[in-house]
Amino acid sequence: MSGAEQQGAPAGAGTDPDGVQRLWTPHRMAYIKGEDRPTGPAADDGCPFCRAPGLPDEEGLVVHRGELAYAVLNRYPYNSGHLLICPYRHVSGYTDLDEDETAEVARLTRQGIEAMRAAYRPQGYNVGMNLGSAAGAGIAAHLHQHIVPRWSGDTNYMPVIGQTKVLPEMLEQSRAALTAHWPEP
């Protein structure tokens, strides 16, 4: 047990006997290995955005369910509270959404920002979609909009040099905070 753990620091943080600080993020190994990635472009090829709504909210990290779209936490977030707004229907392009789906994605995006503002008080937001693999979409087959809360100074060397993102809370805590602050329609 490291000195930090002996002093009540959370598991995964601390100084080993060699004096080097280490932050263990074993949950990232699933992302690195490509676990839970679709095997193809169809909904039944293991799409996580088709699978999540069929799970209990806590397990699927679903924050809010609408009629045509839903809000879910990103399993590999840039910051705590990183939300994804997904249509239930398995479509890859924004222009593939019908008018009602487009309206609901917009409404859930606005509500997600309101929930983040109440839960985290960020200083800004990144909101957007990466449409297609060439545009950076990790899962290009199922449209999803990102809402990332941002604070001045929230970027540092860890993701660039250490390939590690430091997050101050577990996904379950983020889900609980956003669910509790989700505005009424």
Coordinates of all heavy atoms in Angstrom, one line a residue, residues 7-63:
Q7 N -2.8 7.2 3.9 CA -3.3 8.5 4.4 C -4.7 8.8 4.0 O -5.2 9.9 4.1 CB -2.4 9.6 4.0 CG -1.0 9.5 4.6 CD 0.0 10.5 4.0 OE1 -0.4 11.5 3.3 NE2 1.3 10.4 4.3
G8 N -5.4 7.8 3.3 CA -6.8 8.0 3.0 C -7.0 8.5 1.5 O -8.1 8.9 1.2
A9 N -6.0 8.6 0.7 CA -6.1 9.0 -0.7 C -6.9 7.9 -1.4 O -6.9 6.7 -1.0 CB -4.8 9.2 -1.3
P10 N -7.6 8.3 -2.5 CA -8.4 7.3 -3.2 C -7.5 6.2 -3.9 O -6.3 6.5 -4.2 CB -9.1 8.1 -4.3 CG -8.3 9.4 -4.4 CD -7.7 9.6 -3.0
A11 N -8.1 5.1 -4.1 CA -7.3 4.0 -4.8 C -7.0 4.5 -6.2 O -7.8 5.2 -6.8 CB -8.2 2.8 -4.8
G12 N -5.8 4.2 -6.6 CA -5.4 4.6 -8.0 C -4.5 5.8 -8.0 O -4.0 6.3 -9.0
A13 N -4.4 6.5 -6.8 CA -3.5 7.6 -6.7 C -2.5 7.4 -5.6 O -2.7 6.7 -4.6 CB -4.3 8.9 -6.4
G14 N -1.3 7.9 -5.8 CA -0.3 7.8 -4.7 C 1.1 7.7 -5.2 O 1.4 7.7 -6.4
T15 N 2.0 7.6 -4.2 CA 3.4 7.6 -4.5 C 3.9 6.2 -4.1 O 3.7 5.7 -3.0 CB 4.2 8.6 -3.6 OG1 3.6 9.9 -3.9 CG2 5.6 8.6 -3.9
D16 N 4.6 5.5 -5.1 CA 5.2 4.2 -4.8 C 6.5 4.4 -4.1 O 7.0 5.5 -4.0 CB 5.4 3.5 -6.1 CG 4.1 2.9 -6.6 OD1 3.1 2.7 -5.8 OD2 4.0 2.6 -7.8
P17 N 7.1 3.3 -3.6 CA 8.3 3.4 -2.8 C 9.5 4.1 -3.6 O 10.4 4.7 -3.0 CB 8.7 2.0 -2.5 CG 7.4 1.3 -2.5 CD 6.5 2.0 -3.5
D18 N 9.4 4.1 -4.9 CA 10.4 4.8 -5.7 C 10.3 6.3 -5.8 O 11.1 7.0 -6.4 CB 10.5 4.2 -7.1 CG 9.3 4.4 -8.0 OD1 8.3 5.1 -7.5 OD2 9.3 3.9 -9.1
G19 N 9.2 6.8 -5.1 CA 9.0 8.3 -5.0 C 8.3 8.9 -6.2 O 8.1 10.1 -6.3
V20 N 7.9 8.0 -7.2 CA 7.2 8.5 -8.4 C 5.7 8.5 -8.2 O 5.1 7.5 -7.8 CB 7.6 7.7 -9.6 CG1 6.8 8.1 -10.9 CG2 9.1 7.7 -9.9
Q21 N 5.1 9.7 -8.5 CA 3.6 9.7 -8.4 C 3.0 8.9 -9.6 O 3.5 9.1 -10.7 CB 3.1 11.2 -8.5 CG 3.4 12.0 -7.3 CD 2.3 11.7 -6.2 OE1 1.3 11.1 -6.5 NE2 2.6 12.2 -5.0
R22 N 2.0 8.1 -9.3 CA 1.3 7.4 -10.4 C -0.2 7.5 -10.2 O -0.7 7.5 -9.1 CB 1.7 5.9 -10.3 CG 3.2 5.6 -10.7 CD 3.5 4.1 -10.7 NE 4.8 3.9 -11.2 CZ 6.0 4.0 -10.6 NH1 6.0 4.5 -9.3 NH2 7.1 3.8 -11.2
L23 N -0.8 7.7 -11.3 CA -2.3 7.7 -11.3 C -2.7 6.5 -12.2 O -2.5 6.5 -13.4 CB -2.8 9.0 -11.9 CG -4.3 9.2 -12.0 CD1 -4.9 9.1 -10.5 CD2 -4.6 10.4 -12.7
W24 N -3.3 5.5 -11.6 CA -3.7 4.3 -12.3 C -5.1 4.5 -12.8 O -6.0 4.9 -12.1 CB -3.7 3.1 -11.3 CG -2.3 2.9 -10.7 CD1 -1.9 3.2 -9.5 CD2 -1.2 2.3 -11.4 NE1 -0.6 2.9 -9.3 CE2 -0.1 2.3 -10.5 CE3 -1.0 1.8 -12.6 CZ2 1.1 1.8 -10.8 CZ3 0.3 1.3 -12.9 CH2 1.3 1.3 -12.0
T25 N -5.3 4.2 -14.1 CA -6.6 4.4 -14.8 C -6.9 3.1 -15.5 O -6.9 3.1 -16.7 CB -6.6 5.6 -15.7 OG1 -5.5 5.4 -16.7 CG2 -6.5 6.9 -15.0
P26 N -7.1 2.0 -14.8 CA -7.3 0.7 -15.5 C -8.6 0.7 -16.4 O -8.6 -0.1 -17.3 CB -7.4 -0.3 -14.3 CG -7.8 0.5 -13.1 CD -7.2 1.9 -13.3
H27 N -9.5 1.5 -16.1 CA -10.7 1.5 -16.9 C -10.4 1.9 -18.4 O -11.2 1.6 -19.3 CB -11.8 2.4 -16.3 CG -11.4 3.8 -16.3 ND1 -10.5 4.3 -15.3 CD2 -11.6 4.9 -17.1 CE1 -10.3 5.6 -15.5 NE2 -10.9 6.0 -16.6
R28 N -9.3 2.6 -18.6 CA -9.0 3.1 -19.9 C -8.5 1.9 -20.8 O -8.5 2.1 -22.0 CB -7.9 4.1 -19.8 CG -8.2 5.4 -19.1 CD -9.0 6.4 -20.0 NE -8.3 6.7 -21.2 CZ -8.9 7.2 -22.2 NH1 -10.2 7.5 -22.2 NH2 -8.2 7.5 -23.3
M29 N -8.1 0.8 -20.2 CA -7.6 -0.3 -21.0 C -8.6 -0.8 -22.0 O -8.3 -1.2 -23.1 CB -7.1 -1.4 -20.1 CG -6.3 -2.5 -20.9 SD -5.0 -1.9 -21.9 CE -3.8 -1.4 -20.7
A30 N -9.9 -0.8 -21.6 CA -11.0 -1.2 -22.5 C -11.0 -0.4 -23.8 O -11.2 -0.8 -24.9 CB -12.3 -1.2 -21.8
Y31 N -10.8 1.0 -23.6 CA -10.8 1.9 -24.7 C -9.6 1.6 -25.6 O -9.7 1.5 -26.8 CB -10.8 3.3 -24.2 CG -10.8 4.3 -25.3 CD1 -11.9 4.6 -26.1 CD2 -9.6 5.0 -25.6 CE1 -11.9 5.5 -27.1 CE2 -9.6 6.0 -26.6 CZ -10.7 6.2 -27.4 OH -10.7 7.1 -28.4
I32 N -8.4 1.5 -25.0 CA -7.2 1.2 -25.7 C -7.3 0.0 -26.5 O -6.8 -0.1 -27.7 CB -6.0 1.2 -24.7 CG1 -5.8 2.5 -24.1 CG2 -4.7 0.6 -25.4 CD1 -4.8 2.5 -22.9
K33 N -7.9 -1.1 -26.0 CA -8.0 -2.4 -26.7 C -9.2 -2.4 -27.7 O -9.3 -3.3 -28.4 CB -8.2 -3.5 -25.7 CG -7.0 -3.8 -24.9 CD -7.2 -5.0 -23.9 CE -6.0 -5.4 -23.2 NZ -6.2 -6.5 -22.3
G34 N -10.0 -1.3 -27.7 CA -11.1 -1.3 -28.6 C -12.3 -2.1 -28.2 O -13.1 -2.4 -29.1
E35 N -12.4 -2.4 -26.9 CA -13.6 -3.2 -26.5 C -14.8 -2.3 -26.7 O -14.8 -1.1 -26.6 CB -13.4 -3.5 -25.0 CG -12.3 -4.5 -24.8 CD -12.0 -4.8 -23.3 OE1 -12.9 -4.5 -22.5 OE2 -11.0 -5.3 -23.0
D36 N -15.9 -3.0 -26.9 CA -17.2 -2.4 -27.1 C -17.3 -1.5 -28.4 O -18.2 -0.7 -28.5 CB -17.6 -1.6 -25.9 CG -17.9 -2.5 -24.7 OD1 -18.3 -3.6 -24.9 OD2 -17.7 -2.0 -23.6
R37 N -16.4 -1.7 -29.3 CA -16.5 -1.0 -30.5 C -17.3 -1.8 -31.5 O -17.2 -3.0 -31.5 CB -15.1 -0.7 -31.1 CG -14.4 0.3 -30.3 CD -13.4 1.1 -31.2 NE -12.8 2.0 -30.3 CZ -12.3 3.2 -30.7 NH1 -12.4 3.5 -31.9 NH2 -11.7 4.0 -29.8
P38 N -18.1 -1.2 -32.4 CA -18.8 -2.0 -33.3 C -17.9 -2.7 -34.3 O -16.8 -2.3 -34.6 CB -19.6 -0.9 -34.1 CG -19.5 0.3 -33.3 CD -18.3 0.2 -32.4
T39 N -18.4 -3.9 -34.7 CA -17.6 -4.7 -35.7 C -18.0 -4.3 -37.1 O -17.3 -4.7 -38.0 CB -17.9 -6.2 -35.5 OG1 -19.3 -6.4 -35.6 CG2 -17.4 -6.6 -34.1
G40 N -19.0 -3.5 -37.3 CA -19.4 -3.0 -38.6 C -20.4 -1.9 -38.5 O -20.6 -1.4 -37.4
P41 N -20.9 -1.4 -39.6 CA -21.7 -0.2 -39.6 C -23.2 -0.4 -39.2 O -23.9 0.5 -38.9 CB -21.7 0.3 -41.1 CG -21.4 -1.0 -41.8 CD -20.6 -1.9 -41.0
A42 N -23.7 -1.7 -39.2 CA -25.1 -1.9 -38.9 C -25.4 -1.9 -37.4 O -24.5 -2.0 -36.5 CB -25.5 -3.3 -39.4
A43 N -26.6 -1.6 -37.0 CA -27.0 -1.5 -35.6 C -26.7 -2.8 -34.9 O -26.4 -2.8 -33.7 CB -28.5 -1.2 -35.5
D44 N -26.9 -3.9 -35.5 CA -26.6 -5.2 -34.9 C -25.2 -5.7 -34.9 O -24.9 -6.8 -34.6 CB -27.6 -6.3 -35.4 CG -27.4 -6.5 -36.9 OD1 -26.6 -5.8 -37.5 OD2 -28.0 -7.5 -37.4
D45 N -24.3 -4.7 -35.3 CA -22.8 -5.0 -35.3 C -22.2 -4.6 -34.0 O -21.0 -4.4 -33.9 CB -22.2 -4.3 -36.5 CG -22.5 -4.9 -37.8 OD1 -22.8 -6.1 -37.9 OD2 -22.4 -4.2 -38.8
G46 N -23.0 -4.5 -32.9 CA -22.4 -4.2 -31.6 C -22.4 -2.7 -31.4 O -21.5 -2.2 -30.6
C47 N -23.3 -1.9 -31.9 CA -23.3 -0.4 -31.7 C -23.6 -0.1 -30.3 O -24.7 -0.5 -29.8 CB -24.3 0.2 -32.6 SG -24.5 2.0 -32.4
P48 N -22.7 0.6 -29.6 CA -22.9 0.9 -28.2 C -24.1 1.9 -28.0 O -24.7 1.9 -26.9 CB -21.6 1.5 -27.7 CG -20.9 2.0 -28.9 CD -21.4 1.1 -30.0
F49 N -24.4 2.7 -29.0 CA -25.5 3.7 -28.9 C -26.8 3.0 -29.2 O -27.8 3.6 -28.8 CB -25.2 4.9 -29.8 CG -23.9 5.6 -29.6 CD1 -23.1 5.9 -30.6 CD2 -23.5 5.9 -28.3 CE1 -21.9 6.5 -30.3 CE2 -22.4 6.5 -28.0 CZ -21.5 6.9 -29.0
C50 N -26.8 1.9 -29.8 CA -28.0 1.1 -29.9 C -28.2 0.2 -28.7 O -29.3 -0.1 -28.2 CB -28.0 0.2 -31.2 SG -28.1 1.1 -32.7
R51 N -27.1 -0.2 -28.1 CA -27.2 -1.1 -26.9 C -27.5 -0.4 -25.6 O -28.3 -0.9 -24.8 CB -25.8 -1.8 -26.7 CG -25.7 -2.8 -25.6 CD -24.4 -3.6 -25.6 NE -23.2 -2.8 -25.7 CZ -22.3 -2.7 -26.6 NH1 -22.5 -3.5 -27.7 NH2 -21.3 -1.9 -26.6
A52 N -27.0 0.8 -25.4 CA -27.2 1.6 -24.1 C -28.6 1.8 -23.7 O -29.0 1.5 -22.6 CB -26.5 2.9 -24.2
P53 N -29.5 2.1 -24.6 CA -30.9 2.3 -24.2 C -31.6 1.1 -23.8 O -32.6 1.1 -23.0 CB -31.6 2.9 -25.4 CG -30.6 3.3 -26.4 CD -29.3 2.5 -26.0
G54 N -31.1 -0.1 -24.1 CA -31.7 -1.4 -23.7 C -31.3 -1.8 -22.4 O -31.8 -2.8 -21.8
L55 N -30.3 -1.1 -21.8 CA -29.8 -1.5 -20.5 C -30.5 -0.6 -19.4 O -31.0 0.4 -19.7 CB -28.3 -1.2 -20.4 CG -27.4 -2.0 -21.4 CD1 -26.0 -1.4 -21.4 CD2 -27.4 -3.4 -21.1
P56 N -30.4 -1.1 -18.1 CA -30.9 -0.2 -17.1 C -30.1 1.1 -17.1 O -28.9 1.1 -17.5 CB -30.5 -0.9 -15.8 CG -30.4 -2.4 -16.2 CD -29.9 -2.4 -17.6
D57 N -30.7 2.2 -16.8 CA -30.0 3.6 -16.9 C -28.7 3.6 -16.3 O -27.7 4.2 -16.8 CB -30.9 4.7 -16.4 CG -32.1 4.9 -17.3 OD1 -32.2 4.4 -18.4 OD2 -33.0 5.7 -16.8
E58 N -28.5 3.1 -15.1 CA -27.3 3.1 -14.4 C -26.2 2.3 -15.1 O -25.1 2.8 -15.2 CB -27.4 2.6 -12.9 CG -28.3 3.4 -12.0 CD -29.8 3.1 -12.2 OE1 -30.2 2.2 -13.0 OE2 -30.6 3.9 -11.7
E59 N -26.5 1.2 -15.6 CA -25.5 0.4 -16.3 C -25.2 1.0 -17.7 O -24.0 1.0 -18.1 CB -26.1 -1.0 -16.5 CG -25.1 -2.0 -17.1 CD -25.7 -3.4 -17.3 OE1 -26.7 -3.7 -16.6 OE2 -25.2 -4.1 -18.1
G60 N -26.2 1.5 -18.4 CA -25.9 2.1 -19.7 C -25.5 3.5 -19.6 O -25.2 4.1 -20.7
L61 N -25.4 4.1 -18.4 CA -25.0 5.5 -18.2 C -26.0 6.5 -18.8 O -25.6 7.6 -19.2 CB -23.6 5.7 -18.6 CG -22.5 4.9 -17.8 CD1 -21.1 5.2 -18.4 CD2 -22.6 5.2 -16.3
V62 N -27.2 6.1 -19.0 CA -28.2 7.0 -19.6 C -28.6 8.0 -18.5 O -29.0 7.7 -17.4 CB -29.5 6.2 -20.1 CG1 -30.6 7.1 -20.5 CG2 -29.0 5.2 -21.2
V63 N -28.6 9.2 -19.0 CA -28.9 10.4 -18.1 C -30.4 10.8 -18.2 O -31.1 11.1 -17.3 CB -28.0 11.6 -18.3 CG1 -28.4 12.8 -17.5 CG2 -26.5 11.2 -18.0

